[in-house]
């Protein structure tokens, strides 16, 4: 829910800094900001660690301000869930968190893949983490030999298609 999302991200409108400049939800200024956000994102793919949650927040806010309808919400299918990427990397590299549990959390997968330290729960840092993990995936699994190998496996194993 929105209250929990704001709490996790340290939202406090009374503070100076990035949150102090944020419009108060439900105001005309907030509607204008959501209109701008919708315009910027409308034809983009939504990329997120938990895309169902983030799409739900976007949808709730756009519906609140009547900037979309249930039918016209643009991120019903045009999404990339980073959780799937993290799950793949976790399994491939047997990544475990501090408690030793297998973990697909970006907070566990990113440092295990050698990513430099960054602030937690900050939009820009999370975007940079995602870009880093996509590069790791690309560098690891898209070499010419790897692609050739996968094609050869598919030819020789009918179950792989």
């Amino acid at each position: 829910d929105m209250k929990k999302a704001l709490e996790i991200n340290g939202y406090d409108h009374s503070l100076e800094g990035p949150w102090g400049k944020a419009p108060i939800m439900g105001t005309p200024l907030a509607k204008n900001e959501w209109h701008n956000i919708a315009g910027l994102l409308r034809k983009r793919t939504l990329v997120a660690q938990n895309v169902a949650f983030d799409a739900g927040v976007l949808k709730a806010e756009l519906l609140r301000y009547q900037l979309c309808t249930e039918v016209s919400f643009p991120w019903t299918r045009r999404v990339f869930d980073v959780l799937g990427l993290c799950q793949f990397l976790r399994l491939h590299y047997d990544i475990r968190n501090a408690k030793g549990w297998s973990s697909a959390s970006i907070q566990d997968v990113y440092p295990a893949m050698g990513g430099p330290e960054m602030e937690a729960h900050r939009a820009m840092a999370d975007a940079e983490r995602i870009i880093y993990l996509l590069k790791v995936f690309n560098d690891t699994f898209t070499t010419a030999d790897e692609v050739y190998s996968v094609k050869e496996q598919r030819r020789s194993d009918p179950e792989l298609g």
Side-chain angles (χ1 to χ4, degrees), residues 57-84:
V57 169
L58 283 171
K59 186 175 188 177
E61 291 303 304
L62 295 178
L63 287 170
R64 175 204 306 242
Y65 298 113
Q66 299 171 347
L67 297 171
C68 78
T69 65
E70 290 285 339
V71 175
S72 70
F73 181 69
W75 300 287
T76 302
R77 293 197 173 123
R78 215 171 48 242
V79 297
F80 178 81
D81 197 335
V82 176
L83 184 58

Side-chain angles (χ1 to χ4, degrees), residues 7-151:
E7 180 184 314
I8 287 171
N9 288 291
Y11 176 81
D12 185 342
H13 198 295
S14 67
L15 295 177
E16 290 294 319
W19 289 115
K21 296 175 185 161
I24 296 172
M25 293 187 320
T27 65
L29 183 57
K31 180 178 182 174
N32 187 54
E33 290 300 319
W34 278 106
H35 182 269
N36 292 337
I37 290 167
L40 287 170
L41 300 179
R42 185 130 344 252
K43 294 186 179 188
R44 305 288 196 294
T45 298
L46 179 61
V47 178
Q49 166 69 11
N50 181 348
V51 82
F53 173 82
D54 291 324
V57 169
L58 283 171
K59 186 175 188 177
E61 291 303 304
L62 295 178
L63 287 170
R64 175 204 306 242
Y65 298 113
Q66 299 171 347
L67 297 171
C68 78
T69 65
E70 290 285 339
V71 175
S72 70
F73 181 69
W75 300 287
T76 302
R77 293 197 173 123
R78 215 171 48 242
V79 297
F80 178 81
D81 197 335
V82 176
L83 184 58
L85 172 65
C86 288
Q87 288 173 334
F88 180 85
L89 292 171
R90 167 191 61 108
L91 291 171
H92 187 78
Y93 291 104
D94 192 27
I95 295 170
R96 300 189 176 273
N97 66 15
K99 295 179 181 176
W101 301 338
S102 182
S103 173
S105 162
I106 197 168
Q107 285 76 24
D108 293 323
V109 173
Y110 173 78
M113 299 309 302
E117 194 170 318
M118 290 189 226
E119 279 188 277
H121 297 294
R122 292 293 171 260
M124 184 56 74
D126 284 346
E128 290 173 359
R129 284 183 186 92
I130 292 166
I131 291 167
Y132 180 88
L133 291 176
L134 286 167
K135 286 180 180 177
V136 166
F137 178 84
N138 185 60
D139 292 348
T140 303
F141 299 103
T142 59
T143 65
D145 289 340
E146 186 74 21
V147 171
Y148 179 78
S149 174
V150 169
K151 285 180 182 177

